[in-house]
């Protein structure tokens, strides 16, 4: 691997990311899958870094899941997107940041569609006006929330309590970075570092002390693939894609996987249990899986937040071996206690993959 | 007698000079590199007879000894002066020329632009040019007892997205030549050529292909490589579609050789602008007519030879250079 | 094992590193011309059996190169000799078919 070669490509895909005043929209599903991630984003940006990040309860789904499942036409999606832009305009913002990669892709795709077919933009403006009497300006800057954490990665490192380093050996931890397909594959110039060698997560890993693992199936989809997962008859395709990635990364013995998409960490995490059940194989050491994190969770760990406040007890794959490597303290007994310190019940533990 | 300036001292410029000398002129060659020979000088052997490139170059050099040669020199300006052209070189020399021959050639496509192939990122991805340098006896740590080698045809050729729609003509046959050369050096290595279609149009090229198939067991896979990744032991995982069976295909190789194509030489664009020459859609110089007047530009007294007007093989380039010398002779005789 | 109602799907990817080409390699010795096939499809286009049962000499040779069992397809061949007639590379397909049969016998 020639690091300078990647640097050269990264320099071709720089993205302007304003330093403040963002209109933030959440994902439909992330709060269920990784309940602290979006809270962590607002905590870091507002609390730790003191940025102006605005949210409105009137925000809805962007329609991305329905669009990619072929249940609503693009015109409907674009009208929903137009409404989100109207909410941003009404709130007085022009920098739009989406927590979801599907949404980010959806917004990018909509803006590009309007650029290529201006008559559609006119039509969508009419649709929106007829539907809810709203008008909008297009965002001046569109970002994914991982772009912002990437933008502030050095400040987070400076304020951090931990580094992605093996406490015992002093070696950097080996991290696989997995980028959601709709982040840059459609429009490589909209992503930090482009689509072949994206830098958005790699930059975080490097700034926080880890080492990025590049493996042959790095660019491959996590397997979610909307219709592949949501239609049960197709679900085998979903898990097979995930399986392909794990088979490819296995020889590199990664310590963890960092992701920036709602679906990817979910499927890379949960499918490890299904694969273990179906094949008897696990990909971490000693019967464990490879823990999978969102970038907000990793940022939270670096900043010293309690792992259970970060919602890591909701992961399928045990995160404890990873915490132990870094030396992050946690109370095993508190893993399944709620915010009110009462028991939130324990999941059944599988035999096929080691979990706590 | 009027001066003739040849811009470019590759095989086109040298062969034109050789013919002009034979016709009784003393042409002036201006070559920006420090030595004559152009791209061919960096090649090891030439298809289809495995002729050493150095033989061609040294023969041409010997035969053009009486010409005036400026190496390490660039033409910095050109302008029309009555019926002639006034040229200024970066060494301060000014020349009034009755005719100017552009033999400015091509550039090799920068393979790192095809990001998915990982040239400049993955250690053992090399180009046709790198391999040729290694075959010439150069050192290359990236090549070490390979068990499998892949050749990717059409890298930067026939690729609208890479900005070059043209076929580079030489790459298919070069890949076959290099595949045979590698098989001679590493008989046990599996060799895969990934092609879209094989363009073996020249004399003996098809024989060369049959030779590679039958006698060297080179595998030809119809499908363009879509993505390359690096394995834990530094090998390369290559993905393509086996379009003949309609299935995705993958294979690991120790070296992947990218057949970088020929693209237009943009370093002459300033001169082209000054001389008010027409540029074709593909960026190459536009001939007055692509059938009858390939060697003539849109300006009187300015002629073309070789790959400055489009991709060409060495014999085609040499033939054009000879013809251009005659065109210049006729022009100077008849005005 | 838990029943999820779905399973890992079999990949259709041809993995050349895991392709068993022993049969093809043996045939390259008995019928070296097999290597010169350029997949033009003349054989399949003129094959008597092709339109009715999917027989194709081009596919047979490709399947051999990809390590697949060619017997089911080859069983449809009627040895009429037309493919040998039309092959521009002069591959003796009749000889090849008999060599394949001989190998499997």
């Amino acid at each position: 691997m020639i690091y300078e070669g990647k640097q050269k490509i990264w320099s071709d895909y720089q993205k302007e990311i304003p330093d403040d005043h963002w209109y933030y929209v959440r994902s439909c599903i992330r709060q269920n899958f990784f309940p602290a991630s979006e809270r962590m984003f607002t905590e870091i940006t507002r609390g730790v870094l003191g940025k102006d990040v605005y949210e409105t309860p009137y925000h809805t789904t962007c329609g991305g899941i329905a669009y990619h499942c072929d249940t609503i036409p693009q015109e409907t999606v674009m009208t929903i997107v137009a409404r989100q832009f109207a909410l941003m305009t009404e709130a007085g913002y022009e920098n739009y940041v989406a927590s979801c990669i599907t949404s980010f892709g959806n917004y990018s795709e909509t803006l590009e569609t309007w650029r290529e077919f201006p008559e559609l933009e006119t039509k969508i403006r009419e649709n929106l006006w007829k539907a809810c009497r709203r008008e909008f300006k297009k965002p001046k800057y569109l970002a994914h929330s991982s772009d912002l954490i990437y933008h502030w990665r050095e400040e987070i490192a400076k304020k951090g309590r931990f580094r992605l380093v093996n406490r015992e050996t002093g070696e950097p931890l080996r991290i696989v970075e997995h980028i959601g397909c709709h982040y840059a594959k459609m429009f490589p110039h909209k992503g930090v570092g482009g689509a072949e060698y994206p830098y958005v997560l790699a930059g975080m890993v490097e700034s926080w002390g880890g080492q990025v693992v590049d493996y042959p199936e790095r660019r491959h989809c996590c397997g979610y693939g909307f219709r592949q997962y949501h239609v049960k008859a197709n679900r085998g395709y979903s898990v097979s894609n995930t399986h392909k990635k794990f088979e490819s990364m296995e020889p590199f013995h990664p310590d963890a996987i960092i992701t920036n998409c709602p679906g990817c960490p979910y499927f890379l995490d949960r499918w490890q249990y299904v694969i273990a059940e179906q094949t008897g194989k696990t990909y971490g050491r000693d019967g464990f899986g490879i823990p999978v994190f969102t970038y907000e969770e990793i940022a939270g760990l670096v900043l010293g937040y309690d792992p259970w406040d970060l919602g890591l007890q909701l992961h399928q794959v045990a995160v404890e071996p990873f915490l132990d490597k870094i030396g992050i303290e946690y109370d095993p007994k508190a893993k399944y206690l709620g915010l009110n310190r009462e028991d939130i019940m324990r999941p059944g533990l599988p035999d096929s993959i080691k979990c706590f | 007698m009027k001066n003739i300036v040849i811009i470019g001292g590759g095989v086109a410029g040298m062969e034109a000079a050789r013919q002009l000398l034979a016709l009784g002129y003393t042409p002036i060659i201006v070559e920006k590199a420090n030595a004559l020979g152009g791209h061919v000088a960096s090649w090891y052997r030439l298809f289809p007879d495995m002729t050493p490139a150095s033989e061609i170059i040294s023969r041409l050099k010997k035969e053009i000894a009486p010409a005036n040669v400026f190496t390490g020199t660039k033409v910095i300006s050109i302008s029309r002066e009555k019926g002639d052209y006034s040229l200024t070189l970066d060494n301060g020399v000014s020349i009034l020329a009755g005719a100017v021959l552009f033999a400015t050639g091509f550039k090799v496509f920068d393979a790192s632009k095809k990001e998915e192939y990982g040239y400049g990122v993955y250690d053992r991805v090399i180009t046709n040019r790198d391999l040729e340098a290694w075959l010439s006896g150069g050192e290359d740590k990236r090549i070490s007892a390979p068990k499998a080698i892949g050749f990717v045809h059409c890298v930067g050729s026939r690729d609208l997205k890479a900005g070059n729609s043209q076929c580079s003509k030489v790459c298919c046959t070069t890949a076959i030549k290099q595949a045979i050369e590698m098989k001679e050096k590493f008989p046990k290595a599996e060799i895969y050529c990934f092609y879209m279609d094989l363009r073996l149009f020249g004399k003996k090229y098809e024989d060369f292909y049959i030779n590679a198939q039958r006698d060297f067991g080179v595998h030809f896979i119809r499908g363009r490589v879509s993505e390359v990744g690096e394995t834990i032991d530094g090998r390369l995982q290559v993905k393509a579609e086996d379009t003949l069976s309609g299935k995705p295909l993958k294979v690991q190789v120790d070296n992947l050789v990218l057949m970088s194509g020929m693209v237009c030489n943009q370093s002459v664009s300033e001169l082209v602008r000054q001389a008010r020459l027409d540029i074709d859609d593909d960026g190459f110089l536009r001939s007055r007519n692509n059938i009858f007047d390939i060697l003539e530009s849109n300006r009187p007294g300015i002629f073309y030879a070789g790959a400055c007007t489009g991709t060409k093989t060495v014999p085609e380039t040499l033939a054009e250079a000879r013809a251009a010398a005659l065109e210049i002779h006729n022009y100077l005789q008849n005005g | 094992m838990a029943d999820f109602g779905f399973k890992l799907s079999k990949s259709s990817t041809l993995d050349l590193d895991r392709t068993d080409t022993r049969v093809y390699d043996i045939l390259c010795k008995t019928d070296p011309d097999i290597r010169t096939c350029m997949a033009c499809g003349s054989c399949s286009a003129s094959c008597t059996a092709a339109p009715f049962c999917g027989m194709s000499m081009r596919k047979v040779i490709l399947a051999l190169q990809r390590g697949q069992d060619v017997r089911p397809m080859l069983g449809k061949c009627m040895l009429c000799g037309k493919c040998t007639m039309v092959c521009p590379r002069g591959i003796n397909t009749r000889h090849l078919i008999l060599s394949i049969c001989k190998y499997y016998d």
Side-chain angles (χ1 to χ4, degrees):
Chain A
M1 192 81 62
I2 307 158
Y3 188 74
E4 295 73 27
K6 283 194 178 175
Q7 282 178 311
K8 189 174 161 282
I9 292 172
W10 294 334
S11 67
D12 290 342
Y13 296 93
Q14 294 293 320
K15 174 174 177 174
E16 197 181 345
I17 303 169
D19 198 54
D20 207 351
H21 307 299
W22 286 94
Y23 178 84
Y24 179 51
V25 291
R26 298 199 184 211
S27 143
C28 297
I29 55 179
R30 293 188 77 210
Q31 290 172 93
N32 297 330
F33 293 176
F34 301 95
S37 289
E38 291 180 333
R39 203 190 99 58
M40 206 58 230
F41 178 78
T42 54
E43 169 89 18
I44 293 173
T45 52
R46 292 178 189 149
V48 178
L49 302 168
K51 305 291 177 186
D52 167 29
V53 173
Y54 178 84
E55 280 189 277
T56 167
Y58 296 105
H59 166 253
T60 65
T61 175
C62 74
I65 293 180
Y67 172 47
H68 289 293
C69 288
D70 254 6
T71 53
I72 57 171
Q74 198 191 5
E75 197 180 310
T76 309
V77 182
M78 290 196 294
T79 311
I80 301 173
V81 167
R83 183 180 167 277
Q84 316 300 1
F85 289 163
L87 294 174
M88 176 199 75
T89 309
E90 288 161 19
Y93 285 81
E94 50 188 15
N95 304 332
Y96 195 100
V97 57
S99 158
C100 172
I101 290 285
T102 308
S103 292
F104 176 70
N106 195 9
Y107 295 128
S108 304
E109 208 183 329
T110 299
L111 291 171
E112 181 63 18
T113 306
W114 291 347
R115 196 184 65 75
E116 289 171 12
F117 305 95
E119 71 279 9
L120 270 177
E121 182 183 334
T122 312
K123 191 175 180 202
I124 299 300
R125 284 184 185 276
E126 267 178 43
N127 285 357
L128 185 68
W129 181 254
K130 282 181 196 156
C132 55
R133 293 287 184 270
R134 287 183 195 272
E135 288 177 299
F136 68 94
K137 283 186 190 150
K138 284 183 269 186
K140 198 167 166 197
Y141 293 97
L142 177 66
H144 180 253
S145 49
S146 61
D147 293 337
L148 266 63
I149 297 294
Y150 163 82
H151 180 69
W152 293 313
R153 68 198 185 283
E154 292 299 342
E155 285 172 64
I156 291 168
K158 262 184 230 143
K159 292 176 195 285
R161 270 187 65 206
F162 297 101
R163 287 177 66 71
L164 303 177
V165 168
N166 188 313
R167 185 174 57 157
E168 291 194 354
T169 63
E171 293 286 317
L173 292 175
R174 297 165 62 73
I175 314 281
V176 155
E177 43 91 27
H178 177 83
I179 306 289
C181 289
H182 294 134
Y183 175 67
K185 282 177 185 166
M186 286 189 290
F187 309 109
H189 282 277
K190 306 282 184 207
V192 174
E196 288 291 339
Y197 309 92
Y199 190 55
V200 62
L201 295 178
M204 293 181 208
V205 171
E206 286 179 359
S207 293
W208 301 339
Q211 186 193 351
V212 176
V213 170
D214 192 351
Y215 64 106
E217 297 294 352
R218 171 178 53 78
R219 304 154 171 119
H220 200 76
C221 167
C222 70
Y224 174 25
F226 298 90
R227 274 162 292 180
Q228 296 193 0
Y229 174 76
H230 288 296
V231 180
K232 192 173 175 186
N234 295 345
R235 221 164 267 178
Y237 303 144
S238 174
V239 68
S240 301
N241 280 300
T242 314
H243 180 245
K244 180 173 174 172
K245 287 185 74 74
F246 279 103
E247 284 292 307
S248 177
M249 73 174 80
E250 184 187 16
F252 294 83
H253 299 298
D255 295 298
I257 301 171
I258 183 172
T259 58
N260 71 344
C261 187
C264 309
Y266 190 74
F267 288 94
L268 291 172
D269 181 60
R270 269 46 160 202
W271 278 156
Q272 286 191 66
Y273 155 66
V274 175
I275 292 167
E277 282 287 333
Q278 295 193 344
T279 68
K281 195 163 174 185
T282 51
Y283 294 90
R285 303 255 187 214
D286 309 321
F288 285 102
I290 302 172
V292 188
F293 298 96
T294 69
Y295 56 96
E296 296 107 323
E297 287 171 346
I298 295 274
L301 289 174
V302 165
L303 286 165
Y305 285 86
D306 185 291
W308 308 144
D309 288 345
L310 289 171
L312 302 190
Q313 57 277 67
L314 261 81
H315 288 219
Q316 172 70 61
V317 174
V319 297
E320 286 87 342
F322 182 74
L323 304 178
D324 293 340
K325 281 176 197 165
I326 302 179
I328 293 173
E329 57 271 30
Y330 58 91
D331 178 2
K333 289 198 286 296
K335 182 167 181 178
Y336 296 109
L337 296 184
L339 290 173
N340 56 6
R341 311 307 288 168
E342 277 177 26
D343 205 297
I344 55 172
M345 298 197 297
R346 274 148 210 280
L349 296 181
D351 301 324
S352 54
I353 185 165
K354 218 159 149 185
C355 301
F356 296 113
Chain B
M1 192 181 277
K2 285 190 173 178
N3 283 317
I4 302 166
V5 172
I6 299 171
I7 306 174
V11 288
M14 288 201 286
E15 177 62 17
R18 189 172 81 97
Q19 293 299 329
L20 287 166
L21 284 164
L23 290 165
Y25 300 92
T26 309
I28 301 163
I29 298 182
V30 185
E31 166 57 48
K32 68 178 188 305
N34 290 325
L36 292 172
H39 293 287
V40 175
S42 65
W43 233 244
Y44 173 50
R45 293 194 289 188
L46 305 176
F47 59 76
D49 296 327
M50 300 294 195
T51 313
S54 57
E55 262 180 27
I56 307 286
I57 299 297
S58 52
R59 180 177 155 194
L60 280 170
K61 272 188 191 166
K62 206 170 119 197
E63 294 188 18
I64 63 160
N68 288 317
V69 178
F70 292 101
T71 52
T73 307
K74 280 184 195 159
V75 179
I76 51 172
S77 75
I78 181 167
S79 59
R80 189 96 164 115
E81 205 140 302
K82 291 179 191 140
D84 296 329
Y85 287 92
S86 167
L87 293 93
T88 317
L89 312 186
D90 63 355
N91 59 8
V93 173
S94 294
I95 307 164
L96 196 65
V100 178
L101 178 67
F102 274 69
T104 48
F106 65 95
K107 282 260 187 270
V108 177
F109 175 76
D110 174 7
S112 67
K113 283 189 185 163
K114 294 294 292 174
E115 292 170 15
E116 61 271 38
Y117 296 157
Y119 183 65
V121 173
Y122 299 126
D123 290 291
R124 298 197 218 159
V125 179
I126 63 174
T127 63
N128 41 1
R129 196 191 179 93
D130 297 336
L131 184 59
E132 211 64 33
W134 178 78
L135 288 165
S136 304
E139 281 280 304
D140 198 327
K141 276 185 245 161
R142 297 174 293 184
I143 304 165
S144 164
K147 290 191 195 72
I149 304 165
F151 287 86
V152 186
H153 293 225
C154 300
V155 174
S157 305
R158 307 170 71 198
D159 187 336
L160 284 169
K161 213 166 124 195
N164 187 32
S165 60
Q166 306 295 326
C167 164
S168 293
K169 288 177 96 172
V170 299
C171 321
C172 279
T173 327
T174 301
I176 290 171
K177 178 194 84 101
Q178 293 186 338
I180 289 174
E181 286 171 315
M182 291 311 267
K183 198 78 184 176
E184 282 170 343
K185 286 186 183 289
F186 307 105
K188 286 192 176 154
E190 297 293 348
I191 300 202
Y192 306 97
C193 283
F194 294 92
Y195 69 97
M196 295 194 287
D197 42 18
L198 289 167
R199 300 190 160 186
L200 303 163
F201 53 93
K203 186 175 163 72
K204 289 167 87 177
Y205 299 178
E206 190 72 14
D207 298 344
F208 213 38
Y209 168 39
I210 296 173
N211 199 13
Q213 285 183 306
R214 189 184 50 214
D215 305 331
F216 292 94
V218 174
H219 308 289
F220 289 88
I221 295 169
R222 198 185 78 182
R224 195 181 177 109
V225 170
S226 66
E227 186 180 289
V228 179
E230 196 176 74
T231 68
I232 186 110
D233 42 10
R235 301 185 86 209
L236 302 159
Q237 178 185 283
V238 176
K239 281 188 193 174
E241 189 197 358
D242 179 20
T243 59
L244 290 174
S245 54
K247 285 182 181 147
L249 172 148
K250 65 176 181 179
V251 64
Q252 287 188 11
V253 296
D254 296 282
N255 287 108
L256 189 68
V257 188
L258 307 181
M259 306 311 294
S260 281
M262 295 171 156
V263 294
C264 63
N265 181 2
Q266 283 184 330
S267 68
V268 294
S269 57
E270 177 52 26
L271 275 189
V272 166
R273 194 189 60 78
Q274 288 179 14
R276 288 191 277 144
L277 299 175
D278 288 343
I279 302 282
D280 230 328
D281 299 339
D282 54 13
F284 286 90
L285 300 177
R286 191 205 295 265
S287 300
R288 225 151 58 85
N289 179 296
N290 280 327
I291 294 175
F292 208 76
D293 304 309
I294 291 176
L295 311 175
E296 284 179 39
S297 74
N298 55 308
R299 304 282 289 158
I302 296 185
F303 297 87
Y304 300 141
C308 63
T309 52
T311 59
K312 288 187 187 96
T313 63
V314 173
E316 285 170 344
T317 298
L318 294 174
E320 277 196 0
R322 274 163 222 148
L326 202 57
E327 293 278 357
I328 290 170
H329 170 72
N330 292 339
Y331 172 79
L332 293 177
Q333 292 295 306
N334 307 324
Chain C
M1 188 182 107
D3 180 12
F4 299 97
F6 57 90
K7 280 197 237 134
L8 282 171
S9 315
K10 196 180 172 310
S11 171
S12 65
T13 298
L14 300 164
D15 183 347
L16 294 188
D17 297 309
R18 289 188 177 77
T19 300
D20 180 358
T21 58
R22 269 177 298 180
V23 181
Y24 179 68
D25 295 340
I26 289 165
L27 291 167
C28 282
K29 293 200 175 80
T30 56
D31 298 70
D33 286 348
I34 186 177
R35 284 173 148 179
T36 63
C37 172
M38 55 179 172
C40 70
S42 306
C43 49
S44 313
S46 53
C47 176
T48 320
F52 306 106
C53 51
M55 166 66 193
S56 160
M57 254 337 269
R58 173 184 77 75
K59 287 186 187 166
V60 165
I61 294 175
L62 185 69
L64 287 166
Q65 290 169 342
R66 302 287 179 257
Q68 293 152 358
D69 188 356
V70 298
R71 280 173 290 181
M73 195 184 282
L74 211 55
K76 313 285 196 307
C77 168
M78 298 188 278
L79 276 176
C80 73
K82 183 73 185 175
C83 52
T84 313
M85 273 173 67
V86 296
C87 178
R89 290 287 213 219
I91 300 173
N92 188 339
T93 47
R94 183 187 164 80
H95 189 272
L96 173 64
I97 292 162
L98 295 175
S99 296
I100 297 169
C101 294
K102 200 172 152 200
Y103 171 82
Y104 282 110
D105 280 346

